[in-house]
Amino acid sequence: MSHDAPLSPLAPKSAPEIPPLEGVRFGVGAAGVRYAGRTDVMLALLDARTTVAGVFTKSKCPSAPVDWCRDKLKGGKARALLVNSGNANAFTGKTGAQAVKFSAKLAAAATGAPERQIFLASTGVIGEPLDAHKFDGVLEKLAQEARPDGWLDAARAILTTDTYPKLSTRRATIAGVDVTISGFAKGAGMIAPDMATMLAFVFTDAAIGAEALQAMLESGVKGSFNAITVDGDTSTSDTLLLFATGAAKQRGAPKIEKASDKRLVEFKRALDAVLLDLAHQVVRDGEGARKFVEVTVTGADSARAAKRIAFSIANSPLVKTAIAGEDANWGRIVMAVGKAGENADRDRLAIWFGGVRVAHKGLRDPDYDEAEVSQIMKRDDIVINVDLGLGKGAATVWTCDLTKDYVAINGDYRS
Amino acid sequence: MSHDAPLSPLAPKSAPEIPPLEGVRFGVGAAGVRYAGRTDVMLALLDARTTVAGVFTKSKCPSAPVDWCRDKLKGGKARALLVNSGNANAFTGKTGAQAVKFSAKLAAAATGAPERQIFLASTGVIGEPLDAHKFDGVLEKLAQEARPDGWLDAARAILTTDTYPKLSTRRATIAGVDVTISGFAKGAGMIAPDMATMLAFVFTDAAIGAEALQAMLESGVKGSFNAITVDGDTSTSDTLLLFATGAAKQRGAPKIEKASDKRLVEFKRALDAVLLDLAHQVVRDGEGARKFVEVTVTGADSARAAKRIAFSIANSPLVKTAIAGEDANWGRIVMAVGKAGENADRDRLAIWFGGVRVAHKGLRDPDYDEAEVSQIMKRDDIVINVDLGLGKGAATVWTCDLTKDYVAINGDYRS
């Protein structure tokens, strides 16, 4: 958490209170990786029966911790999660892989868990070796002091350029037994590898097999973490892990092995809600963001085409600067639709800002009230709808505007 | 040409003087399409034997003039080119198609040429109907007064947000006979449809069949107009036309029908040079640009992979803001390589700024001199080299930096 960056104007009014979740405890500390005067290391202790699922950056140049997690995920079991901020341990070559291995060794010693059940994530500067010796002696203390009510502290310890901690929680029932899904995330660009990365960790006390967990996570990210963008840039470190402690079993919850199991319907909905809430919070903390923008494309040839067009709009610098300028510039939407490479017929296109149709059938809508749209564009949250009039494909993605502050934050003007 | 925008700091010292080229004359006038106190319509008259080739925007929502030109190109012959600035006649539905037809009719009447040999381009605001009646009475005068030395005036009449006219000329010999290739372009964003679009018109007195001309143009744009980006956005109106008047035949130049004809070797080189020069001038006038950036990727699996990676770097907001900040941020280059989706191995990557290697084999180069690189980053022209160490694929693209001025120009902050 940068001490000089002002709170995003799009930040939630307050962080939600997260109740303890059976089977997970958090310890945080200051290992001095990079920052002074703040926590920068977080250790989550997980009960022995915990299963795990994960999704990662699609970057062809992933960080060393991403390589580690991808490999350990094959076992499907997790006993601890160690996360540091201040250094991403990315583009650090063999030194990076060694630092990961040494970190896991320290975490295993501190927790008594096998190395292969330790999961790791790092966020912060890249290209600088991570000195894992800084964790030596710190992790034992974290393990000893870990508390079930440490959610907010854990969420804070992993922040970098974020201006607020991001937490979310939902409840569901599985076969009549209450379970909880809670998590936290960090991320502010999408995502500067210089001092960012999207990390998210979600926990549940439900008892769910690793395969089912993985299937639900992969399904859930499609409409949440894989449907957001700040600047179209992709970190080398993006990591989203989902842990199921299974503690609800003691209260009578069944252990479920298949994602298609009907008893998971409500759980899936709650999981999707947590993922979407956290993903939205990342966008709302987008670097320099002053507007939160929802883009929905309907009438496309397919859902895939709709998503590609929606991202073409959401990533267009010209669309994003227009929104920053509170300008309902539908011409730039047409441009972004046209460049997406998917089927589109300009004479069937219809475009809405905040529910007001500004263009249809290849022309400016003669009836639209400019004063009304002008008021809509002044809001913090902007909704754009585009209908292609071709098929049934639909998709929604979220982004933020592109402001001078984005350039200032990332341009680091030296002169 | 915007009257209040200051000249781009990357502008050439002066516009080159373009000598008359046999077979083409230019007339310019003020039709009052949108601007006051400047020319906004340009008519080029072409000799009867003129052949034509063209390439256009890949947008799925092209403007009405693009539709017209694509259709008329099938004939391979051109007698006149009519271009207006101030209105792009894009997203104007049937009205737009009618305006194009009426413009062609007026141009045909003014020049005596058949409508099917009239080529048209429009640039300026989109979504507003173009009133082609404004050309009525104006085109006759332009046809009467057209002059072979009107190049600079022609180049100026088609500008919109450009801060300088863009012209280029080269000479070549075909079978021992001197021929000339000259052209001009406009474009400043890549390219805001609101008040921009990339247009380029190139003329030669060589005698070359339309098919051969088309093949050479398609080959030539690969390394020039299709290798530049300002913001990754694509206009609905991008048009590049190449006209060969054939007038050099009177001086003994042969008429050539095949692009593979060995007598065209020198001509092709000169054509490529004109296209590259004009393309670079568009980037140097990029909205808000303060740095001209060349990105060369080598060692990729294929040329196609290299170009995709190079564009991933050149379009990355994080790379572009870092360059604006004069920051040799190679971590963001790694990020952009990783997100391109092409094969890459972080442990083989090498990166240079201005010829100084800053990273290799998955690590920061321990020998690089930060003070030297810091000086390099202060230059107007920045050269970035990336070697992937995988194969023989190579590509070069050009872009500019992303500054607060880009956001200001396109954000049109109202509050």
Side-chain angles (χ1 to χ4, degrees):
Chain A
M1 193 156 37
S2 182
H3 292 285
D4 46 4
L7 182 68
S8 166
L10 305 172
K13 298 273 174 289
S14 63
E17 190 127 343
I18 311 289
L21 186 148
E22 292 168 290
V24 58
R25 290 172 296 142
F26 300 99
V28 300
V33 175
R34 183 186 171 91
Y35 311 114
R38 57 157 281 187
T39 56
D40 60 2
V41 57
M42 186 279 289
L43 183 68
L45 303 184
L46 298 154
D47 275 6
R49 61 180 75 79
T50 301
T51 54
V52 58
V55 292
F56 304 94
T57 178
K58 286 171 188 146
S59 173
K60 302 281 183 179
C61 301
S63 67
V66 166
D67 283 346
W68 173 274
C69 287
R70 275 209 177 99
D71 183 56
K72 298 305 169 272
L73 207 57
K74 293 170 194 161
K77 293 254 162 67
R79 288 297 305 279
L81 166 68
L82 173 64
V83 185
N84 75 274
S85 54
N87 187 310
N89 194 15
F91 209 43
T92 44
K94 281 175 193 162
T95 323
Q98 283 159 5
V100 160
K101 189 141 179 52
F102 188 65
S103 301
K105 195 177 165 181
L106 292 174
T111 62
E115 277 181 37
R116 66 180 185 281
Q117 293 182 17
I118 307 284
F119 285 76
L120 299 166
S122 295
T123 177
V125 292
I126 84 162
E128 303 277 348
L130 169 67
D131 181 6
H133 288 92
K134 290 192 172 169
F135 304 137
D136 206 353
V138 174
L139 301 190
E140 286 81 355
K141 195 161 170 291
L142 266 51
Q144 282 157 18
E145 297 175 357
R147 292 160 40 172
D149 62 349
W151 291 86
L152 183 59
D153 288 341
R156 278 188 176 134
I158 68 168
L159 302 182
T160 56
T161 56
D162 305 64
T163 72
Y164 59 87
K166 300 164 181 67
L167 298 112
S168 185
T169 185
R170 292 288 187 284
R171 298 186 71 82
T173 60
I174 295 179
V177 179
D178 276 347
V179 298
T180 303
I181 305 168
S182 301
F184 47 91
K186 62 91 37 180
M190 181 66 177
I191 303 287
D194 196 35
M195 181 51 75
T197 283
M198 200 291 297
L199 299 182
F201 307 107
V202 180
F203 305 83
T204 179
D205 50 0
I208 300 173
E211 270 184 49
L213 213 57
Q214 184 69 30
M216 287 191 289
L217 184 63
E218 286 176 12
S219 166
V221 295
K222 280 183 196 161
S224 57
F225 282 104
N226 288 352
I228 60 170
T229 179
V230 167
D231 49 24
D233 277 340
T234 306
S235 159
T236 54
S237 307
D238 291 339
T239 296
L240 164 54
L241 295 170
L242 169 60
F243 303 95
T245 68
K249 224 173 154 186
Q250 295 158 324
R251 293 185 281 106
K255 173 88 185 272
I256 299 184
E257 297 291 353
K258 289 205 165 163
S260 58
D261 194 308
K262 282 177 185 166
R263 293 171 293 178
L264 285 177
V265 169
E266 205 184 309
F267 178 88
K268 280 182 196 167
R269 202 176 302 138
L271 174 62
D272 289 354
V274 167
L275 296 175
L276 189 61
D277 185 10
L278 291 175
H280 283 183
Q281 290 189 53
V282 169
V283 175
R284 287 184 182 278
D285 208 6
E287 290 165 340
R290 295 190 305 172
K291 306 273 188 193
F292 178 76
V293 185
E294 177 174 296
V295 179
T296 296
V297 171
T298 53
D301 275 350
S302 65
R304 201 180 150 276
K307 195 164 187 177
R308 208 169 150 209
I309 291 168
F311 266 131
S312 179
I313 296 166
N315 278 323
S316 159
L318 290 169
V319 170
K320 291 157 76 82
T321 48
I323 292 166
E326 303 188 338
D327 179 10
N329 194 320
W330 55 269
R332 296 186 184 178
I333 307 283
V334 179
M335 176 282 299
V337 171
K339 79 165 181 167
E342 298 291 341
N343 267 342
D345 179 343
R346 63 174 181 233
D347 297 340
R348 291 186 187 203
L349 266 186
I351 299 166
W352 292 257
F353 281 97
V356 178
R357 195 174 67 184
V358 295
H360 80 131
K361 291 191 181 174
L363 285 168
R364 160 201 280 262
D365 191 325
D367 298 329
Y368 96 79
D369 179 349
E370 284 204 40
E372 186 187 2
V373 173
S374 174
Q375 280 306 313
I376 284 168
M377 298 308 291
K378 286 183 181 148
R379 296 179 191 159
D380 286 348
D381 287 19
I382 305 289
V383 177
I384 299 172
N385 285 75
V386 176
D387 188 80
L388 300 175
L390 298 175
K392 291 183 176 175
T396 299
V397 307
W398 294 270
T399 188
C400 57
D401 56 346
L402 172 57
T403 67
K404 288 180 191 172
D405 287 341
Y406 176 86
V407 178
I409 290 166
N410 289 299
D412 179 37
Y413 285 93
R414 291 178 176 188
S415 53
Chain B
M1 191 157 37
S2 180
H3 292 285
D4 46 3
L7 182 68
S8 165
L10 305 171
K13 297 273 175 290
S14 62
E17 190 127 345
I18 311 290
L21 185 147
E22 291 168 292
V24 58
R25 291 170 297 144
F26 300 99
V28 299
V33 173
R34 182 186 172 92
Y35 310 115
R38 59 157 280 187
T39 57
D40 60 2
V41 55
M42 185 279 287
L43 183 68
L45 303 183
L46 299 154
D47 276 5
R49 63 180 74 80
T50 300
T51 55
V52 59
V55 292
F56 304 93
T57 178
K58 285 170 188 147
S59 173
K60 303 281 181 176
C61 302
S63 68
V66 166
D67 283 346
W68 173 274
C69 286
R70 276 210 177 100
D71 183 57
K72 299 303 169 275
L73 206 58
K74 294 170 194 161
K77 293 256 162 65
R79 288 297 305 279
L81 166 68
L82 173 64
V83 185
N84 74 274
S85 54
N87 186 308
N89 194 15
F91 210 43
T92 44
K94 282 176 192 163
T95 324
Q98 284 159 5
V100 160
K101 187 138 181 57
F102 188 66
S103 300
K105 194 177 166 183
L106 291 174
T111 61
E115 278 181 36
R116 66 180 185 279
Q117 294 182 18
I118 307 285
F119 285 76
L120 299 166
S122 295
T123 178
V125 291
I126 83 161
E128 302 277 349
L130 171 66
D131 181 7
H133 290 92
K134 290 192 171 168
F135 304 139
D136 205 355
V138 175
L139 301 190
E140 287 81 354
K141 195 161 171 288
L142 266 51
Q144 283 158 18
E145 296 175 357
R147 293 160 40 171
D149 63 350
W151 290 86
L152 184 58
D153 288 341
R156 280 188 175 136
I158 68 167
L159 301 183
T160 56
T161 54
D162 306 64
T163 73
Y164 57 88
K166 300 163 180 68
L167 299 110
S168 184
T169 185
R170 293 288 187 285
R171 299 186 70 82
T173 61
I174 295 180
V177 179
D178 278 346
V179 299
T180 303
I181 305 168
S182 301
F184 47 92
K186 62 92 33 181
M190 182 67 175
I191 302 285
D194 197 36
M195 181 51 75
T197 283
M198 200 291 297
L199 299 181
F201 307 107
V202 179
F203 305 83
T204 179
D205 51 0
I208 300 173
E211 270 185 50
L213 213 55
Q214 184 69 30
M216 286 191 290
L217 184 62
E218 286 177 12
S219 165
V221 295
K222 280 182 197 161
S224 57
F225 281 104
N226 289 350
I228 60 171
T229 180
V230 167
D231 50 25
D233 278 340
T234 308
S235 161
T236 55
S237 307
D238 292 337
T239 297
L240 165 54
L241 295 169
L242 170 59
F243 303 95
T245 69
K249 223 173 155 186
Q250 296 158 325
R251 292 184 282 105
K255 172 89 186 272
I256 299 184
E257 298 291 353
K258 289 205 165 163
S260 58
D261 194 309
K262 282 179 185 164
R263 291 170 296 177
L264 286 178
V265 168
E266 205 183 307
F267 178 89
K268 281 182 199 168
R269 202 176 302 138
L271 173 62
D272 289 352
V274 167
L275 296 175
L276 189 61
D277 186 9
L278 291 175
H280 282 183
Q281 289 189 54
V282 169
V283 175
R284 287 184 182 279
D285 209 5
E287 290 164 340
R290 296 191 304 175
K291 307 274 187 191
F292 178 76
V293 185
E294 178 174 296
V295 180
T296 296
V297 172
T298 54
D301 275 350
S302 66
R304 201 181 150 277
K307 196 166 186 176
R308 211 170 148 208
I309 291 168
F311 266 131
S312 180
I313 296 166
N315 278 323
S316 159
L318 290 169
V319 170
K320 291 157 76 85
T321 48
I323 292 167
E326 303 188 337
D327 178 11
N329 193 321
W330 56 269
R332 297 187 184 178
I333 307 281
V334 179
M335 177 280 301
V337 170
K339 79 165 180 167
E342 299 290 342
N343 266 342
D345 178 345
R346 64 175 182 232
D347 297 340
R348 291 186 188 202
L349 266 185
I351 299 167
W352 292 257
F353 282 96
V356 177
R357 194 174 68 183
V358 294
H360 79 132
K361 292 192 181 173
L363 285 168
R364 160 202 280 265
D365 192 324
D367 298 330
Y368 95 81
D369 179 348
E370 283 205 40
E372 186 186 5
V373 173
S374 173
Q375 281 305 311
I376 285 168
M377 297 309 290
K378 287 185 180 146
R379 295 179 191 159
D380 285 348
D381 289 18
I382 304 290
V383 177
I384 299 171
N385 285 73
V386 176
D387 188 79
L388 300 176
L390 297 175
K392 289 182 176 175
T396 298
V397 307
W398 294 270
T399 190
C400 57
D401 56 346
L402 171 57
T403 67
K404 289 180 190 171
D405 287 341
Y406 175 87
V407 178
I409 290 166
N410 289 299
D412 177 39
Y413 285 92
R414 291 178 175 186
S415 53

